[in-house]
Amino acid sequence: MFGLFKSNPSKKLRKTYDTKLEQAMQAQRKGDIKTYSMITAEAEAIWAEIEAIEAKNK
């Protein structure tokens, strides 16, 4: 019953992940490959955190 009020930590991380991917796409379109690769690496790290949280919850 009280699980209804718990926040989902992976939901916030997914939103951050989507934002990072959007930023990476914009950097790639501008031709800034260095920034694109840095933001993509950050997004991959966030995705690893999401997978760890979801594996823990199962």
Side-chain angles (χ1 to χ4, degrees):
M1 178 176 163
F2 294 107
L4 175 69
F5 300 112
K6 289 185 179 178
S7 64
N8 187 356
S10 67
K11 186 175 182 180
K12 183 177 180 182
L13 283 175
R14 282 185 183 270
K15 191 171 186 178
T16 305
Y17 174 75
D18 290 339
T19 303
K20 288 290 182 185
L21 288 181
E22 182 74 26
Q23 291 173 351
M25 181 189 65
Q26 294 299 327
Q28 186 180 28
R29 284 185 178 176
K30 291 179 183 177
D32 191 358
I33 301 304
K34 184 177 180 181
T35 303
Y36 165 75
S37 62
M38 289 185 342
I39 294 173
T40 303
E42 291 174 7
E44 289 176 1
I46 292 170
W47 185 253
E49 289 180 43
I50 292 170
E51 288 180 335
I53 290 172
E54 289 180 354
K56 180 182 167 188
N57 290 338
K58 286 187 178 181

